[in-house]
Amino acid sequence: MRLPRRLAAPATALAALLALTFAAAPATPAVPATSTAPTSIASAVPGAAATAGAGFWHTSGRQILDEAGTPVRIAGINWFGFETSNYVPHGLWSRDYKSMIDQMKSLGYNTIRLPYSDDIFKGTTPTSINTSGGMNADLVGLNSLGVMDKLVTYAGTVGMKVILDRHRPDSGGQSALWYTSSVPESTWLANLKTIAARYAGNSAVVGIDLHNEPHDPACWGCGDQSTDWRLAAQRGGEAVLAANSKLLIFVEGVQSFNGSSYWWGGNLQGAGQYPVQLSVANRVVYSAHDYATSVAQQPWFTDPSFPSNMPGVWDKNWGYLFNQNIAPVWVGEFGTTLQSATDQTWLKALVQYLRPTATAGADSFQWTFWSWNPNSGDTGGILNDDWTTVNTVKDGYLASVKSPNFSGGSGGGGTGDTQAPTVPVGLAVTGTTASSVSLSWTASTDNTGVTGYDVYRGGSKVASVTGTSYTDSGLSAATAYTYTVRAKDAAGNVSAASSAVTATTSPGGGGSAGCSAAISLNDWGSGLTATVTVTNTGAAATKSWRVVWTWPTGLQISGSWSADVTRSGQTVTANSQAYNGVLAPAASTTFGVQATRTDSSAVATATPVCTATS
């Protein structure tokens, strides 16, 4: 079952805090002021330029075409906030909106999906806009729609497109259906007409996402006017086209179809049998949402065949519409914190699935990543918590499917990251037993971000890990083994091999000592505690033990207990104390470490390596 995403901090509380620092914007009139927000915001650049993506768009089979008939590709980002009680995109408390959009453009995103709620049609006053020092100066005095006008116009001037997303009926939260008791369907339809008409003539706005994440009891093709989202989407689409016939109509899926359940808004199994039909041809784009375990656990993540099962899952729920040339498919939301190995594997597989076909660069799935904002509680964002620096690892996963100029690039690879990470250095043996060798190395760097390392024993790959340490087990006693390590990034680029190291396992027999270590985390976001359990795996009692692991520098150690803990760079070393170094065979002891997270992208998972003396 799809779970709603949480904001890391309540918007109202944040607004109250910021009000102490930033000057409040003057009150806005109940309706948009015509002097700054005309009913129809015309395109800032008259006429269609002879570049891919110019003008208004339409569909042909599974492709989206620009005004000249050239296939285009949406490769964009979600920037939320209009739908919350701030009534404006988040982060303007830290930065100017133009610098935000410029940064999106510079990173290779070509489209912004802007969620909003129907509240903004009531003349809502934005909160938490920093106007000090001339920042956001042209937003002073504007209501929410006036701010939206400014964002749309500026995005158009730098060559980006905008998709408007009716995310919620009001700022209170998502709704299963497109209407609620306080926001009836008539209001939804009227507001769709209003916003479509507002941007008539402005080709920066290419379409409207009619309603975010319909879910149970919403159905598809059931025929009930009160719950059939497919029929409602037809009514909503007609309302938009009556006011602006050039817009694309983005229609999300539901949760359940014929007893098969998927992510909220992600189930489009019924669209092939029951298509959305509009009076204006070539306007429908189907939209799916897809997420990882940081949002909710799903059965396909624990399937023994994961991740090779995922293309079949995507084909069934939404990919078939593209594969069978029925209609374009836009993955309007997908995201993850990347904290778990499962999520990292999922994102890599999904990006591979979204890559263009061999036919043409833009003959492909469309997408907008969730999200630009770092304050999405169960996914995080492309920006770090400072609202300025980039989470380069997360952004790096998307490098091979970006399309900054809408054309998809030559050969169908978007911007096509071809730069390999630097070679891992400092490969060293950190411990041996009769049956294992423990290794560590220094992290590599990459232009978009290192996603993992392949460990080789001799000429054979024995493991792929995300950290900078590994223990190779199941080895023979008194035997020499040679190791190298290669770094890799999200685009599949692999570094040259590190310098080799050789380790010899200790002799076998009943008198050798050995130990293992396992870390259990209690992570609350800004900080964590790690409890480490050390177990004697040998046949003799230990006299002392040592546990080593690597943590990013964004995790600062603030305390420890039951071990002498030191740190050098990313390497954390914990030595036993006098009272707990002696462990009988199979006996265990624990120690703990407390850390503060100074970088929201710092991953706390680690592979501890234990060595013991006897």
Side-chain angles (χ1 to χ4, degrees):
M1 177 180 177
R2 174 75 172 90
L3 298 179
R5 286 173 305 286
R6 308 174 309 279
L7 298 183
T12 53
L14 182 58
L17 176 62
L18 291 165
L20 299 176
T21 306
F22 303 140
T28 55
V31 294
T34 55
S35 61
T36 56
T39 301
S40 176
I41 307 300
S43 177
V45 183
T51 56
F56 289 97
W57 295 352
H58 60 283
T59 70
S60 176
R62 69 189 189 183
Q63 292 186 326
I64 298 177
L65 308 179
D66 66 12
E67 206 157 88
T70 303
V72 295
R73 181 167 218 213
I74 298 168
I77 196 78
N78 284 269
W79 186 13
F80 66 78
F82 273 121
E83 81 283 17
T84 71
S85 57
N86 293 90
Y87 304 121
V88 72
H90 289 172
L92 299 188
W93 52 70
S94 295
R95 294 176 61 188
D96 187 90
Y97 74 94
K98 292 179 181 178
S99 74
M100 291 273 210
I101 295 173
D102 287 343
Q103 188 178 22
M104 295 175 194
K105 174 76 173 178
S106 71
L107 290 172
Y109 299 103
N110 62 27
T111 304
I112 306 171
R113 180 177 182 252
L114 278 180
Y116 69 86
S117 81
D118 288 82
D119 281 350
I120 67 171
F121 299 98
K122 301 175 182 178
T124 50
T125 300
T127 63
S128 308
I129 298 180
N130 188 349
T131 58
S132 63
M135 188 184 301
N136 296 306
D138 56 345
L139 304 185
V140 173
L142 300 181
N143 62 17
S144 297
L145 282 171
V147 173
M148 182 178 285
D149 295 340
K150 291 289 187 179
L151 269 62
V152 166
T153 298
Y154 187 74
T157 63
V158 299
M160 296 186 75
K161 297 290 189 179
V162 175
I163 298 170
L164 302 174
D165 158 43
R166 195 278 194 153
H167 207 75
R168 300 172 174 177
D170 56 54
S171 63
Q174 290 179 226
S175 61
L177 300 173
W178 56 98
Y179 64 91
T180 64
S181 58
S182 59
V183 184
E185 178 174 307
S186 59
T187 299
W188 172 61
L189 294 174
N191 289 339
L192 286 175
K193 288 182 179 180
T194 296
I195 203 162
R198 187 177 189 87
Y199 297 107
N202 187 340
S203 61
V205 176
V206 292
I208 296 179
D209 188 343
L210 298 177
H211 179 61
N212 185 65
E213 296 184 349
H215 53 278
D216 295 346
C219 61
W220 191 290
C222 65
D224 185 337
Q225 294 286 335
S226 66
T227 57
D228 191 332
W229 167 236
R230 175 251 185 177
L231 296 179
Q234 292 183 163
R235 298 191 293 273
E238 294 293 358
V240 170
L241 295 173
N244 187 344
S245 63
K246 293 186 176 182
L247 292 179
L248 294 175
I249 306 301
F250 294 92
V251 182
E252 299 186 27
V254 291
Q255 178 184 354
S256 303
F257 180 77
N258 286 348
S260 177
S261 183
Y262 199 60
W263 296 108
W264 290 1
N267 191 331
L268 284 159
Q269 294 177 36
Q273 182 180 357
Y274 304 104
V276 172
Q277 298 175 316
L278 301 173
S279 59
V280 180
N282 303 319
R283 291 294 182 268
V284 175
V285 178
Y286 291 111
S287 174
H289 289 186
D290 216 281
Y291 279 97
T293 62
S294 63
V295 172
Q297 183 60 254
Q298 298 281 12
W300 44 87
F301 295 127
T302 55
D303 188 290
S305 63
F306 178 82
S308 61
N309 64 318
M310 293 310 301
V313 172
W314 295 322
D315 285 346
K316 175 183 177 181
N317 285 284
W318 44 269
Y320 77 96
L321 294 164
F322 174 84
N323 296 332
Q324 297 176 25
N325 201 35
I326 295 171
V329 176
W330 170 53
V331 185
E333 292 183 18
F334 64 105
T336 164
T337 60
L338 285 182
Q339 292 296 300
S340 76
T342 296
D343 287 22
Q344 295 160 14
T345 301
W346 165 85
L347 184 54
K348 182 178 180 180
L350 181 56
V351 167
Q352 180 65 42
Y353 186 81
L354 296 177
R355 282 183 176 176
T357 69
T359 305
D363 184 24
S364 58
F365 292 99
Q366 320 285 331
W367 58 269
T368 46
F369 188 73
W370 187 277
S371 60
W372 181 248
N373 309 47
N375 60 326
S376 177
D378 48 11
T379 65
I382 292 298
L383 291 186
N384 292 318
D385 284 345
D386 60 6
W387 282 96
T388 300
T389 60
V390 175
N391 184 325
T392 55
V393 172
K394 188 176 290 188
D395 184 65
Y397 274 85
L398 306 173
S400 65
V401 289
K402 287 181 180 176
S403 181
N405 297 316
F406 298 102
S407 62
S410 60
T415 53
D417 176 23
T418 59
Q419 180 175 326
T422 60
V423 177
V425 297
L427 179 62
V429 178
T430 58
T432 60
T433 68
S435 60
S436 69
V437 171
S438 297
L439 306 165
S440 70
W441 55 93
T442 301
S444 297
T445 59
D446 185 62
N447 62 317
T448 57
V450 176
T451 58
Y453 300 87
D454 292 333
V455 182
Y456 290 81
R457 183 198 317 133
S460 300
K461 185 168 73 173
V462 293
S464 293
V465 298
T466 56
T468 55
S469 62
Y470 174 68
T471 296
D472 190 20
S473 58
L475 306 178
S476 299
T479 303
Y481 296 93
T482 300
Y483 295 91
T484 56
V485 177
R486 295 174 181 262
K488 55 189 179 182
D489 64 17
N493 301 307
V494 181
S495 74
S498 68
S499 299
V501 296
T502 300
T504 302
T505 53
S506 58
S512 62
C515 62
S516 65
I519 288 183
S520 176
L521 297 174
N522 177 25
D523 193 329
W524 56 86
S526 60
L528 59 93
T529 58
T531 301
V532 183
T533 301
V534 178
T535 303
N536 183 350
T537 58
T542 65
K543 291 182 179 178
S544 64
W545 45 259
R546 170 178 292 180
V547 178
V548 178
W549 70 91
T550 59
W551 265 353
T553 54
L555 288 174
Q556 296 294 317
I557 295 176
S558 55
S560 64
W561 59 93
S562 301
D564 292 326
V565 178
T566 58
R567 181 170 192 162
S568 176
Q570 293 187 329
T571 302
V572 180
T573 302
N575 289 300
S576 59
Q577 296 185 327
Y579 65 86
N580 62 1
V582 177
L583 295 175
S588 298
T589 189
T590 62
F591 68 90
V593 177
Q594 184 171 356
T596 300
R597 184 176 274 106
T598 59
D599 180 349
S600 63
S601 64
V603 178
T605 54
T607 303
V609 176
C610 186
T611 55
T613 60
S614 60

